[in-house]
Amino acid sequence: MAPSPTRQRLIGYARVSTEEQATDAQLDELKAAGCEVIHQEHGSGASRTRPVLSRLIREISRGEVLVVVRLDRLARSVSHLLEVIETLEEKGAHFKSLRDPIDTSTPQGMFSLQVLGAVAQLERSLISERTKAGVKAAVAKGKRPGNPGLREGRPEAIRKTALARDRVYMGDLLTAANSFLPVVRQMRPDHSWRDVVQVLNARGQRWTDQSLRRAIKRLVSERMAEPELLRKAGRRPPDDRIMTLVAGIAISNPTPTLREIGAQLEGMRERTPRGGREWKASSVKFQLDRARKMGLAVPEIQ
């Protein structure tokens, strides 16, 4: 008899727009679906700041499934939905909506997700076209685009705009934190900001030393990250720096192979201790073995 498949752990997420609304109906559906844990949050659909959701995504484990009753309970837009699902996939987790044909653990659900991706691209194009058309029409009527208060330098308008931008920035940080903060925690302060940025950008992210440091400073000020992450990195001999960099890549990647780590180092244009451009699997393994002897918690990699 074939062994029965391992049951996936379901984690529920319920959100209502105001404090007056109740989550009872969502809780009943999520419990009926088999959710072992349910996280609740109050916040408007347009709000970018959702600390409960951000923490849930940050702490969800490989193989677990984030479950919502409807898509609008999770995301403020199709683009936001795809961003959340992409982050879950990077962590080896899945997503499921009870009332929509989205279940990333099934081929049918992934097909629906691809359709949503096409819709998101269309949505962005339409918004861009409408914005351009609105500006063109305003100019034709003799109106100047933009905020009049900002053009005139009114302090209240400047303050409101700054606060709005800050809320957007913080919301974006909370949404994306689990894609960069774990790597920063694993590498800082043993590595320079440049090394951390190289590892993150090799994964398709877009950081500079300054933008990453600014993000971590903000998270530290909000008590969402540890102050020691901002400590100055000590100077290391070149060989030690390469060893800890290789170890950092291995620790920050859930399932790397020696060759994949080597390819990442080559993509970062990191030379071998002997100055070579090509990183062989044996060279990577040598550095990881050194790191283990130095007491670093490096996983066993083939």
Side-chain angles (χ1 to χ4, degrees):
M1 180 181 297
S4 58
T6 303
R7 181 177 177 274
Q8 295 174 315
R9 185 168 185 256
L10 307 183
I11 309 296
Y13 173 74
R15 180 187 62 81
V16 293
S17 299
T18 67
E19 294 292 342
E20 288 73 27
Q21 291 178 297
T23 56
D24 293 353
Q26 294 180 61
L27 297 181
D28 290 343
E29 288 192 53
L30 292 170
K31 288 177 182 176
C35 293
E36 299 180 18
V37 179
I38 300 176
H39 299 262
Q40 302 179 57
E41 183 155 58
H42 290 83
S44 70
S47 174
R48 290 172 174 262
T49 305
R50 298 185 185 175
V52 175
L53 177 61
S54 298
R55 185 172 64 253
L56 191 164
I57 296 174
R58 188 165 60 248
E59 296 176 354
I60 198 167
S61 301
R62 173 173 293 275
E64 293 182 335
V65 183
L66 172 59
V67 183
V68 297
V69 172
R70 299 190 310 272
L71 292 178
D72 65 353
R73 298 301 85 194
L74 177 79
R76 60 182 178 269
S77 66
V78 176
S79 299
H80 181 215
L81 171 66
L82 295 174
E83 181 181 325
V84 170
I85 293 177
E86 181 180 352
T87 303
L88 290 172
E89 288 182 339
E90 290 176 353
K91 295 175 68 68
H94 299 288
F95 171 75
K96 180 178 182 179
S97 174
L98 299 179
R99 297 193 190 178
D100 304 284
I102 304 295
D103 182 348
T104 61
S105 64
T106 68
Q108 296 86 350
M110 289 303 294
F111 174 75
S112 298
L113 191 61
Q114 291 173 357
V115 174
L116 276 179
V119 172
Q121 182 61 43
L122 177 62
E123 179 184 68
R124 287 191 291 270
S125 298
L126 290 175
I127 291 174
S128 176
E129 289 301 320
R130 284 197 295 267
T131 301
K132 291 177 182 177
V135 171
K136 186 176 181 180
V139 172
K141 294 179 181 179
K143 298 180 180 179
R144 297 175 63 185
N147 187 319
L150 289 179
R151 288 201 304 269
E152 296 169 9
R154 298 177 195 166
E156 184 62 19
I158 294 173
R159 186 183 70 82
K160 288 183 177 179
T161 301
L163 288 174
R165 288 175 177 171
D166 185 69
R167 284 195 296 270
V168 170
Y169 175 70
M170 191 60 199
D172 288 342
L173 276 188
L174 290 172
T175 301
N178 59 321
S179 68
F180 67 86
L181 188 54
V183 175
V184 175
R185 282 175 168 151
Q186 288 155 355
M187 297 186 67
R188 289 287 304 167
D190 293 332
H191 293 274
S192 68
W193 290 106
R194 174 179 171 273
D195 287 344
V196 182
V197 165
Q198 282 186 306
V199 171
L200 290 171
N201 290 354
R203 295 180 168 194
Q205 300 185 36
R206 295 181 179 179
W207 292 99
T208 64
D209 297 6
Q210 293 77 15
S211 64
L212 183 60
R213 191 183 301 115
R214 177 193 174 202
I216 298 303
K217 282 184 178 179
R218 183 59 191 275
L219 293 176
V220 169
S221 71
E222 297 290 338
R223 298 185 179 180
M224 298 185 65
E226 301 76 23
E228 54 265 27
L229 298 179
L230 296 173
R231 281 198 293 110
K232 186 176 180 180
R235 296 182 64 87
R236 291 175 175 270
D239 284 357
D240 282 357
R241 176 188 166 275
I242 292 175
M243 174 195 70
T244 54
L245 179 60
V246 174
I249 294 173
I251 294 171
S252 67
N253 191 332
T255 56
T257 65
L258 295 173
R259 187 64 200 108
E260 287 170 347
I261 295 175
Q264 188 167 340
L265 289 165
E266 291 169 6
M268 294 162 58
R269 297 183 179 179
E270 283 289 338
R271 292 181 178 270
T272 67
R274 295 185 178 181
R277 297 178 181 273
E278 181 182 356
W279 278 89
K280 297 181 180 179
S282 58
S283 301
V284 175
K285 186 176 184 303
F286 176 77
Q287 296 299 330
L288 294 177
D289 289 340
R290 283 189 63 212
R292 292 190 192 95
K293 291 178 181 178
M294 295 288 291
L296 299 179
V298 180
E300 291 291 339
I301 300 173
Q302 301 298 321

